[in-house]
Amino acid sequence: MIVEEKTISTERIYEGKILNLRRDLVTVRGNKTAYREIIEHNGAVAVAALKEDGKMIMVRQFRKVAEKAVLEIPAGKIEKGEDPYEAAVRELQEETGYTAGKMELLASFYSSIGYSTEKICLYLAADLTPGDTDFDESEAIDIEEYDLKDLKEMVLQGKIEDAKSISAVLMACMKLDV
């Protein structure tokens, strides 16, 4: 039987630029209590950008968590008060230089529902027009293009390790029957 956890108290542990950390004391199964450590995040957007030739625009950048360069779809955080659609348009242009004539929401999902409030809105972008990138000053990004079939194979072989990118590739393949 599922029992809703009620928050008894909240302790703010850390406040940062892109995330906060809190510890909630909650009720569990009757009179018992437990702590939940929760990362608060404004959310993010991710874009599966498909060119007319069937290639998907990918970005490769060093990720400290993985201690290596990782292949991903363009993505970024939603600024406070920013509309997710507008954030997706902005991130696609900043990271790849492309603008999209069509942008469709494919899905929204929690990145790690066990401990983070981050929800990612995943968009499919088409009718792409190239332009200039506008990287953040801390970003060093290589832009790459891959056939969607090849990306699907890379996912199945474990060569793409980023969850949002795995989701994007597989969802694009399903939508386009690849």
Side-chain angles (χ1 to χ4, degrees), residues 4 9 22-23 34 43 48 54 58 71 73 76-77 80 82-83 86 97 102 112-113 131 133 136 139 145 156 172:
E4 182 180 347
S9 64
R22 73 174 199 252
R23 187 169 78 155
M58 303 292 286
L71 186 65
I73 60 172
K77 67 182 187 328
K80 192 168 187 166
E82 187 177 28
D83 177 73
E86 295 301 321
K102 295 179 187 173
S112 189
I113 202 163
T133 58
D136 291 341
E139 288 180 318
E145 298 178 10
L156 297 174

Side-chain angles (χ1 to χ4, degrees), residues 42-46 78 84-85 104-113 117-124 164 167-168 171:
N42 279 345
V45 293
I78 299 171
Y85 177 87
E104 172 190 352
L105 180 66
L106 283 180
S108 59
F109 50 88
Y110 288 96
S111 61
S112 189
I113 202 163
T117 64
E118 180 186 36
K119 195 169 197 177
I120 298 174
C121 296
L122 173 61
Y123 291 87
L124 179 64
K164 69 184 176 304
S167 297
M171 289 185 76

Side-chain angles (χ1 to χ4, degrees), residues 13 37 48 50 57 63 119 127 132 136 153 165 173-174:
I13 296 170
E37 294 176 347
L50 287 172
I57 307 298
R63 293 298 196 174
K119 195 169 197 177
D127 294 338
D132 296 326
D136 291 341
E153 191 59 34
S165 300
C173 285
M174 288 178 65

